[in-house]
Amino acid sequence: MLFSKTRSMTPAQAAAALRGDGIVLVDVREPAELRGGRIDGARNIPLGQLPDRLGELDRGRRIAFVCQSGARSGRATRAAAKAGLDAVNVSGGVMAWARAGLPLTR
């Protein structure tokens, strides 16, 4: 299939799942980008490192990916799903997270 639909969740759904230990949240932004605000509980694996580090992620848990706007995390979600992980994209990324009034750590 040339184009595949990426599974996604809203920032509010991701925040609720994170509080309930329902997901592992992976931020695929570069470390320098985290200075602008990061989500507590998110693990940072920059997108460029993800192919080599997919084995670090728990195959028994849903993995939610987030970036600044949702584009890079969409690519991460597709790569993780192709590798057999239960992967979802946090739509709109950290920008949508902040617009929803959800907390960021600076």
Side-chain angles (χ1 to χ4, degrees):
M1 177 185 279
L2 185 57
F3 296 103
S4 61
K5 182 155 175 61
T6 303
R7 291 180 26 207
S8 64
M9 62 178 25
T10 66
Q13 290 169 324
L18 189 60
R19 281 191 304 272
D21 200 30
I23 59 169
V24 173
L25 185 61
V26 177
D27 189 329
V28 297
R29 296 178 296 160
E30 294 297 319
E33 293 177 275
L34 301 178
R35 289 186 215 118
R38 61 181 311 238
I39 300 168
D40 274 341
R43 178 176 177 180
N44 179 234
I45 302 177
L47 183 61
Q49 297 177 15
L50 190 63
D52 294 330
R53 296 181 63 188
L54 280 173
E56 297 175 17
L57 301 175
D58 186 346
R59 290 184 126 11
R61 308 256 326 261
R62 175 169 283 175
I63 312 296
F65 291 94
V66 68
C67 66
Q68 189 66 26
S69 67
R72 285 177 286 176
S73 55
R75 292 197 307 265
T77 301
R78 287 187 294 279
K82 187 174 180 179
L85 293 166
D86 180 7
V88 297
N89 183 32
V90 178
S91 55
V94 173
M95 291 187 320
W97 184 280
R99 279 193 308 271
L102 296 166
L104 292 172
T105 301
R106 302 215 184 256

